[in-house]
Amino acid sequence: MKDLNLLEIQRHSCAHLLAAIIHALWPDARFGVGPVTEDGFYYDVDLDLPLKEADLALIQDKMLEFQQENMLFERAEWPIDKAIAYMEDHLQPYKVELLKLLKEKGSTSVNASEEKGASGIDVVSVYKLGQFIDLCKGPHVNSTSDIGAFKLINIAGAYWRGDSKNPQLQRIYGLCFASQKELDHRLWQKEEAKKRDHRHLGEQLEIFRFSEDIGQGLPLWLPNGAIIRQELEHLARYEENREGYLPVVTPIIGKEKLYEKSGHLAHYHEDMYAPIQIEEEIYYLRPMNCPHHHQIYLARPRSYRELPLRIAEYGSVFRYEASGGLSGLMRTRGFCQNDAHIYCTYEQANEEFLKVMQLHARYYDLLGIKDYHMRLSLPDLDGSDKYVNDPEEWNATIAIIRDAMNESGLPYEEVAGEAAFYGPKVDFMIKSVIGVSYAISTNQLDFMASKRFDLHYIGSDGLKHPVYVIHRAPLGSHERFVAFLLEHYAGNFPTWLAPIQVRIMPIADRHKDRAHEVLKMLQAFDIPSANGKIRVDIDDSDERMQRKIANAQCAKIPYMIILGDKEIESGKISIRRRDGHQISDIDVLSFGKILVEEIRGRSIDFTLI
Ligand SMILES: [Zn+2]
Ligand SMILES: [Zn+2]
């Protein structure tokens, strides 16, 4: 287990406090484990009665009382047999099981027997808090008053040791932060995230669906979702075209030999779909687009004059994710990436990497994503066979990336041990407006591809030189990115991305002809968007106006045009924005012109005011 920082120590201590209270309230409770989470802790408890919300409130109150009493965490070291006997006496079968594992294998890990050099231990530390003694390595805060601010939030079922053959325990989750202010912020964030949940909004706005008959984690994009994808691709094509990328199209499967060469079968096999056999040949669904793009590079010999060669494809890939890990569009088994590979010389790598970072920044600024930073993942070169063993190349590529990151002026952090197997990677971490952070795009500088695939160019010296490959996908995958945007905008897409941009709502039957005229006038505008037109429809249902407005509001349509007698008489229109703001007496063509500019400029805000 890695060392805990101060906040994690507070969180973990809070888990002990929770257990101590449960022990006091229900002395026959049997305890599992109580680790920290990203915003608090949980404890697994085996209790005969199913806990309810009201019990959580009771436990929480008692915990607060205990916290104010300044109870000390008292540490003791016991011979392991004493600890086993104590836990047996106190009817704690799960603790006994853990202690026996420690005694035999020196670890409580499920795979302890596979760990190298495992040997048993004979002394363990225990911590006493009030009347409750728990087996624990520590460390903890000194006293309950040092724990910080906490709140129990929910109860879920969890199998002992994550195995469905074992008894199911009740897992009690809590949040814990150093201050009440941070706790309140996290509670607000969770509440807001629930309202903005992309799975819920995706259904409400008819963005995507899943079908049992197609398969888990394989989303269907409905017309509204497909439009958003097209707009994002339209944007990407425009930017990539300006930067000299060449679009390509490649198949989604490839032969076994391809993935042996790429190293995916050796290093990435667990994340791939099972093979498909056709005419004695083995094929795989591709987990990445790179091997296919390398074949395009290899289509003919390349001269230094062609470099950098940038090839781009919104490419579909398939990766195996355990069904438990699937989550709406955030984690799927098939997705489509804003992918490209840049083939360049060693000397060009820095500038190309820098341009890729600047492209990210342009996209994020355009989309109103204000809070982002880069995370450079470095290899853990000693002790892991996951990384291709070539320290010199690793260090040279890391230096290029670091230089480019510094030049970009964008904020970054470095973490060890998370690099891709073929090179260091830079992830862009972006935060939605409510402050939830997502890893959205991965970039790599790859020195291995040239060796594996024999990717070379003929230099001005007439000799063969290896190319460097930059992997980049600034808009990530459509799936993850649109899920992010749904949360970020709470479904209120800026007009250029909104599936329906304008809805015309005639008040009565006699206003319908005019509605069709207005529709035609707006559709006559030519605009440089994915489908070249303003996306406008008519609600000519027999619903009352209030209902029509509510429906358009629910679909989060940016502009509503309301047509009644007054508008027909004046020849002008009245507009109601999604946010309730109203504009009356504007003529159709003026509105159309403003709209076209708003869409062309990909404005985040309304421009008709
Ligand atoms: Zn502990
Ligand atoms: Zn790639």
Side-chain angles (χ1 to χ4, degrees):
M1 195 171 74
K2 67 180 174 60
D3 290 343
L4 301 181
N5 62 36
L6 176 61
L7 182 58
E8 288 169 325
I9 292 170
Q10 288 179 304
R11 288 172 174 165
H12 172 67
S13 303
C14 199
H16 276 267
L17 175 57
L18 167 65
I21 297 298
I22 290 176
H23 173 72
L25 290 169
W26 297 282
D28 63 343
R30 294 156 309 269
F31 293 93
V33 292
V36 295
T37 61
E38 56 162 1
D39 53 12
F41 58 90
Y42 67 77
Y43 215 119
D44 286 343
V45 192
D46 193 355
L47 256 184
D48 298 329
L49 99 157
L51 292 171
K52 298 191 199 65
E53 294 286 320
D55 298 314
L56 281 195
L58 171 72
I59 299 169
Q60 167 97 14
D61 287 347
K62 293 272 174 209
M63 285 171 75
L64 286 169
E65 277 173 32
F66 248 54
Q67 189 184 26
Q68 277 149 19
E69 281 173 30
N70 275 348
M71 317 249 321
L72 297 179
F73 283 85
E74 297 169 57
R75 184 176 193 275
E77 286 193 354
W78 286 1
I80 196 150
D81 288 327
K82 177 181 171 184
I84 292 173
Y86 177 89
M87 291 300 176
E88 277 172 347
D89 279 356
H90 289 77
L91 303 176
Q92 293 294 338
Y94 306 110
K95 298 291 180 190
V96 171
E97 186 180 328
L98 296 177
L99 282 163
K100 285 186 173 164
L101 275 172
L102 282 176
K103 183 178 172 178
E104 285 157 28
K105 294 170 179 146
S107 162
T108 57
S109 153
V110 178
N111 301 318
S113 56
E114 293 158 23
E115 281 176 17
K116 289 173 221 154
S119 66
I121 56 170
D122 22 74
V123 176
V124 291
S125 59
V126 294
Y127 282 83
K128 185 163 176 273
L129 179 65
Q131 297 306 308
F132 180 64
I133 292 181
D134 203 350
L135 159 72
C136 188
K137 211 161 85 177
H140 303 97
V141 294
N142 289 328
S143 122
T144 51
S145 59
D146 301 325
I147 281 176
F150 60 87
K151 184 163 171 62
L152 300 182
I153 48 168
N154 68 320
I155 313 155
Y159 292 107
W160 171 239
R161 315 226 76 188
D163 185 341
S164 59
K165 293 195 277 302
N166 287 337
Q168 200 179 37
L169 313 184
Q170 301 187 66
R171 177 167 293 176
I172 305 172
Y173 284 97
L175 301 178
C176 180
F177 285 89
S179 72
Q180 185 65 39
K181 199 175 153 209
E182 288 162 284
L183 174 65
D184 289 343
H185 178 74
R186 184 70 181 131
L187 284 166
W188 167 83
Q189 206 178 43
K190 284 182 96 74
E191 203 46 47
E192 199 56 31
K194 218 186 281 171
K195 283 190 237 160
R196 292 165 177 256
D197 187 326
H198 83 274
R199 291 164 298 187
H200 166 74
L201 284 170
E203 193 167 321
Q204 181 185 330
L205 304 181
E206 299 191 20
I207 305 287
F208 68 96
R209 286 282 187 284
F210 287 95
S211 154
E212 283 285 320
D213 289 348
I214 288 173
Q216 288 187 78
L218 298 167
L220 296 167
W221 288 82
L222 305 179
N224 286 345
I227 275 289
I228 296 169
R229 285 174 62 125
Q230 283 181 3
E231 287 295 1
L232 291 172
E233 287 185 26
H234 189 250
L235 167 67
R237 262 203 307 277
Y238 172 79
E239 289 289 338
E240 286 165 3
N241 190 30
R242 276 199 340 174
E243 301 245 321
Y245 287 77
L246 305 173
V248 296
V249 180
T250 59
I252 59 167
I253 65 173
K255 281 199 215 167
E256 187 174 35
K257 207 174 75 189
L258 182 70
Y259 301 109
E260 270 166 9
K261 220 183 231 184
S262 67
H264 284 95
L265 284 176
H267 297 277
Y268 203 74
H269 190 231
E270 289 163 16
D271 298 293
M272 292 169 69
Y273 268 62
I276 305 163
Q277 188 171 345
I278 303 167
E279 292 173 353
E280 312 297 312
E281 301 264 28
I282 304 282
Y283 290 81
Y284 283 90
L285 281 171
R286 66 176 174 197
M288 295 185 193
N289 302 306
C290 343
H292 291 69
H293 288 185
H294 298 341
Q295 301 309 307
I296 287 180
Y297 184 85
L298 291 169
R300 59 177 163 77
R302 302 289 178 177
S303 139
Y304 69 97
R305 289 190 193 86
E306 289 179 80
L307 303 186
L309 178 72
R310 311 174 187 91
I311 61 176
E313 176 178 24
Y314 250 105
S316 288
V317 297
F318 296 85
R319 295 182 193 168
Y320 169 72
E321 283 278 353
S323 52
L326 298 171
S327 167
L329 291 183
M330 267 298 168
R331 217 165 258 274
T332 57
R333 286 181 174 170
F335 49 92
C336 185
Q337 288 178 308
N338 171 218
D339 214 354
H341 293 91
I342 302 170
Y343 300 83
C344 62
T345 67
Y346 176 80
E347 292 72 24
Q348 292 165 337
N350 170 284
E351 192 189 336
E352 288 303 310
F353 215 88
L354 177 62
K355 280 202 279 192
V356 165
M357 289 170 191
Q358 289 164 339
L359 181 61
H360 280 76
R362 277 213 299 288
Y363 285 141
Y364 298 162
D365 288 347
L366 178 70
L367 291 158
I369 301 164
K370 298 202 168 71
D371 196 346
Y372 58 87
H373 74 275
M374 298 180 284
R375 188 173 67 188
L376 171 60
S377 298
L378 301 169
D380 182 5
L381 284 178
D382 26 73
S384 176
D385 55 3
K386 197 177 135 201
Y387 301 111
V388 180
N389 199 7
D390 195 341
E392 238 169 73
E393 287 282 14
W394 276 101
N395 291 333
T397 50
I398 291 167
I400 292 173
I401 293 181
R402 269 209 197 103
D403 283 350
M405 289 200 305
N406 286 327
E407 282 169 56
S408 77
L410 302 173
Y412 72 88
E413 58 171 342
E414 298 190 3
V415 288
E418 290 181 21
F421 66 84
Y422 44 81
K425 64 171 186 167
V426 175
D427 286 311
F428 272 77
M429 310 296 297
I430 61 179
K431 276 189 184 170
S432 68
V433 283
I434 58 168
V436 182
S437 183
Y438 297 93
I440 214 75
S441 111
T442 297
N443 307 278
Q444 278 135 12
L445 181 54
D446 181 353
F447 54 86
M448 283 311 300
S450 67
K451 297 192 177 79
R452 290 180 177 278
F453 284 92
D454 197 21
L455 303 174
H456 288 90
Y457 66 93
I458 305 299
S460 56
D461 54 6
L463 299 173
K464 254 170 86 171
H465 300 272
V467 292
Y468 276 66
V469 181
I470 295 171
H471 306 245
R472 44 114 280 176
L475 297 172
S477 71
H478 277 316
E479 285 70 12
R480 209 173 165 74
F481 203 69
V482 171
F484 169 83
L485 291 180
L486 278 164
E487 174 177 310
H488 186 60
Y489 298 133
N492 293 305
F493 285 99
T495 306
W496 72 276
L497 275 174
I500 304 288
Q501 295 161 325
V502 183
R503 174 161 292 169
I504 306 171
M505 303 188 295
I507 292 175
D509 274 354
R510 62 181 181 281
H511 308 127
K512 283 185 181 168
D513 286 347
R514 176 65 177 154
H516 285 276
E517 272 172 37
V518 172
L519 177 98
K520 284 208 184 89
M521 287 165 84
L522 289 177
Q523 282 181 336
F525 282 95
D526 240 348
I527 47 174
S529 71
N531 56 346
K533 274 191 172 70
I534 295 172
R535 294 187 289 270
V536 48
D537 69 5
I538 299 178
D539 181 351
D540 57 4
S541 66
D542 296 328
E543 299 280 7
R544 296 167 61 91
M545 184 49 71
Q546 253 172 345
R547 185 76 245 154
K548 288 186 185 183
I549 293 176
N551 288 343
Q553 244 14 315
C554 181
K556 301 186 185 274
I557 295 169
Y559 292 106
M560 295 160 237
I561 296 179
I562 295 163
L563 289 177
D565 289 337
K566 194 182 116 220
E567 285 77 18
I568 301 229
E569 209 173 289
S570 68
K572 299 200 168 175
I573 51 176
S574 297
I575 288 166
R576 188 188 165 91
R577 277 187 348 207
R578 173 172 63 196
D579 59 359
H581 185 81
Q582 304 196 36
I583 303 105
S584 41
D585 286 335
I586 178 163
D587 67 73
V588 182
L589 292 181
S590 310
F591 172 56
K593 279 182 198 148
I594 291 170
L595 205 55
V596 167
E597 284 315 306
E598 182 170 319
I599 294 166
R600 191 203 304 276
R602 295 195 172 93
S603 171
I604 283 287
D605 302 310
F606 289 117
T607 53
L608 177 68
I609 41 174

